[in-house]
Amino acid sequence: MGVSGLNLFGALAGVLLFSWNTSEALAFSAVVPGPIPIDGSSWPDRFPAKSHCSKCGLCETTFVTQVNDACAFLGDGMARIDSMEGRVHGRGRALDDMAWTDASGTAPVPTADEARFGVLAQPMVLARGVGIQGAQWTGCVTSIALSMLESGMVDAVVCIASKENKDGFSSWSEPEPILARTTEEVLRGRGVKPALAPSLKVLDKIRDDKSIRNLLFCGVGCAVQAFRAVQDSLDLENVYVLGTNCVDNSPTPQAARDFLTKGVQVDETKARGYEFMQDFKVHVKMEDDYVKKPYFCLPGNVADAAIADSCLACFDYTNSLADVVIGYMGAPLDSSGKMDDTFQTLSVRNSRGRKMVEAGMDAGRLRIGEEATGSGSHEKISTATVASDSIVQAMLGGEIKEKGMPRFLGEVMAVVMRNVGPKGIGFARYSIDYHILRNYLH
Ligand code: FAD
Ligand code: SF4
Ligand code: SF4
């Protein structure tokens, strides 16, 4: 019998056990195996969502029996967010300001905020973590997580650490989900590991550890959707979810490292993190340097292998079901133009989210700035990007340019785009719209 056959058998056993009385069930469970998690090494072929599986971790636990309802890529998939938002935040998105242009048909108006950014209990603000070294940006996520753990608001934090090999050496790019119980463990979550990460792999551990009554789950949209679907089965008193924006993740750490070597052409062994920024450049934090390369100089053929199929089918860039969301695309780049110094954005979706942010501020670990604002038109540039995009070209059977623009021209183009293109919230709108359109085509 294949793995999926065993899982069906496990699910059936679960249903039977549920309808019996306890002593019969215990006697039966001694001889019948429970649900069988799928072995991660068989990803993606053995996983129910196949090539569109984002390896969220659910299927690597006994919660695999709930995959049909929980998976962001099966059945109604991410369309379920529409109804889940009401349950999680107390209301769905306000869509009455959904409009593309003003009456003249040209000037963009700052509308459709909840359609793009999700339910907002208050306007999106700028924020910085305080005193966190070695984070991806200024460490807003780690600041909030640490404050919640250290103040006793939660007993444990689910986050993605860098995987350690047996010599204790950890690779910045290899994600490992952990159930952090100490300050040191939460600090292991600092930095984005640029590949699909099985955040829900610790679900069985959480359910079986009765000392965990209050939990903080940190994760990206697809993982948060699956987590929200099963969180009631964990029998916890309080559950908080701290999300990050997320788009275009790599299928594996190796694919991310290849992107750095072949695309950005840096020594990936010295890299510590990278981001796609609103100055139209990829920024790479190196051990001893900080490299910026215009998007336009990247070879057209690197994008395909660097982006997981799940992320081409993803419509939850802004992590709709988290209580608080941290990102960067709506924040201005400051004069240094480097990610460690620049404000991030913070969205609060509900009253739990407010308490999470207060915990960070009370601990002096989180500083809130002004409301996030921006400028520039996002509409034409979104459609123009889709039209020239190498991934879209590949879908249409068009020619993919193997070489990017020469460096000088790419730099000029980035300066021009930076000056005329959208900034702050305007850039965030552009990025969201481009990804929705591209992924819809996929
Ligand atoms: P830190 O304090 O350094 O904490 C990092 C957090 O990220 C930890 O909680 C850790 O658990 C989590 N994490 C690390 N690796 C992964 C992973 N592979 N999967 C899930 N969680 C992980 N923001 C945007 O505005 N636009 C984007 O396009 C965008 N893309 C992203 C893509 C990915 C794969 C991820 C994980 C995040 C992305 N973000 C994006 C969010 C942004 O990069 C930062 O994560 C965010 O601003 C938090 O920075 P920080 O300094 O507060 O995080
Ligand atoms: Fe399972 Fe998650 Fe993959 Fe869906 S995305 S098939 S729930 S591991
Ligand atoms: Fe998941 Fe979407 Fe991020 Fe891909 S882009 S890892 S599918 S949230």
Side-chain angles (χ1 to χ4, degrees):
M1 197 184 323
V3 173
S4 50
L6 281 172
N7 284 327
L8 278 178
F9 181 63
L12 182 62
V15 172
L16 285 172
L17 286 173
F18 191 69
S19 54
W20 281 2
N21 71 39
T22 315
S23 56
E24 283 167 323
L26 283 174
F28 185 71
S29 65
V31 289
V32 175
I36 312 283
I38 301 176
D39 182 350
S41 65
S42 61
W43 180 82
D45 301 347
R46 297 271 189 169
F47 283 65
K50 302 287 180 196
S51 66
H52 282 101
C53 168
S54 68
K55 207 174 200 294
C56 76
L58 181 100
C59 293
E60 297 177 60
T61 71
T62 58
F63 290 80
V64 63
T65 51
Q66 299 187 42
V67 66
N68 284 336
D69 294 326
C71 179
F73 303 96
L74 293 178
D76 287 339
M78 288 187 171
R80 290 192 202 106
I81 289 173
D82 284 350
S83 57
M84 292 172 86
E85 276 176 337
R87 180 163 64 77
V88 173
H89 305 309
R91 69 170 175 89
R93 299 176 193 213
L95 299 177
D96 46 350
D97 62 348
M98 217 169 148
W100 287 97
T101 53
D102 70 5
S104 73
T106 49
V109 286
T111 53
D113 276 348
E114 292 208 355
R116 289 195 177 86
F117 300 112
V119 172
L120 297 170
Q122 58 196 53
M124 190 189 296
V125 289
L126 304 180
R128 278 183 205 266
V130 179
I132 304 284
Q133 306 299 319
Q136 181 74 2
W137 286 72
T138 65
C140 285
V141 171
T142 302
S143 304
I144 296 173
L146 274 183
S147 308
M148 291 177 71
L149 184 75
E150 289 173 348
S151 66
M153 198 169 156
V154 292
D155 307 306
V157 176
V158 177
C159 60
I160 298 294
S162 300
K163 196 177 219 159
E164 278 179 4
N165 68 15
K166 51 183 185 315
D167 306 321
F169 172 78
S170 63
S171 159
W172 71 279
S173 60
E174 302 265 350
E176 181 189 7
I178 59 168
L179 190 53
R181 308 291 298 257
T182 64
T183 298
E184 291 67 35
E185 286 167 348
V186 171
L187 287 171
R188 285 186 63 202
R190 282 168 303 166
V192 167
K193 295 84 200 176
L196 298 179
S199 299
L200 281 81
K201 207 172 161 181
V202 293
L203 282 180
D204 288 317
K205 231 177 171 179
I206 298 169
R207 184 202 46 209
D208 296 344
D209 187 339
K210 296 300 169 212
S211 70
I212 301 175
R213 305 305 309 139
N214 302 298
L215 180 81
L216 172 65
F217 181 88
C218 303
V220 296
C222 58
V224 169
Q225 182 176 339
F227 178 75
R228 287 297 193 194
V230 302
Q231 75 173 64
D232 290 348
S233 317
L234 296 169
D235 191 27
L236 297 167
E237 278 163 30
N238 289 294
V239 172
Y240 301 89
V241 176
L242 179 50
T244 49
N245 289 340
C246 179
V247 80
D248 291 353
N249 206 351
S250 292
T252 60
Q254 187 58 50
R257 293 193 292 261
D258 287 348
F259 169 75
L260 289 180
T261 314
K262 295 176 193 159
V264 192
Q265 290 161 348
V266 291
D267 177 359
E268 62 84 5
T269 61
K270 294 195 171 155
R272 292 294 170 266
Y274 65 90
E275 297 280 14
F276 291 79
M277 305 281 274
Q278 60 176 273
D279 55 2
F280 295 86
K281 295 181 180 177
V282 189
H283 290 212
V284 189
K285 272 199 272 189
M286 307 289 289
E287 216 169 69
D288 46 9
D289 199 3
Y290 192 96
V291 174
K292 301 180 186 182
K293 186 162 189 176
Y295 298 166
F296 315 101
C297 300
L298 299 173
N301 56 1
V302 292
D304 194 36
I307 303 178
D309 278 1
S310 53
C311 307
L312 294 175
C314 176
F315 293 91
D316 196 20
Y317 195 163
T318 52
N319 212 324
S320 322
L321 298 172
D323 299 314
V324 173
V325 183
I326 306 288
Y328 64 87
M329 62 178 163
L333 268 185
D334 78 0
S335 51
S336 83
K338 291 186 178 174
M339 42 181 132
D340 323 49
D341 305 325
T342 301
F343 269 116
Q344 299 170 252
T345 52
L346 184 150
S347 307
V348 174
R349 301 210 187 283
N350 55 41
S351 56
R352 278 185 309 279
R354 281 205 185 96
K355 283 189 206 152
M356 295 162 67
V357 172
E358 275 162 22
M361 291 170 71
D362 290 349
R365 289 191 185 276
L366 184 69
R367 195 178 323 137
I368 299 296
E370 297 182 347
E371 188 176 324
T373 56
S375 60
S377 162
H378 57 274
E379 294 162 355
K380 288 197 176 116
I381 182 179
S382 306
T383 44
T385 306
V386 173
S388 61
D389 187 62
S390 62
I391 296 174
V392 175
Q393 287 304 318
M395 286 178 212
L396 299 173
E399 191 197 339
I400 312 296
K401 292 196 183 89
E402 287 196 6
K403 282 192 177 163
M405 276 184 189
R407 189 64 185 249
F408 173 72
L409 273 183
E411 294 285 354
V412 171
M413 189 78 178
V415 170
V416 172
M417 291 304 295
R418 176 97 201 264
N419 287 332
V420 301
K423 295 176 189 65
I425 287 287
F427 183 85
R429 290 193 183 106
Y430 151 67
S431 188
I432 291 169
D433 289 6
Y434 154 68
H435 284 94
I436 287 178
L437 291 169
R438 185 201 69 188
N439 289 6
Y440 182 76
L441 290 173
H442 173 82

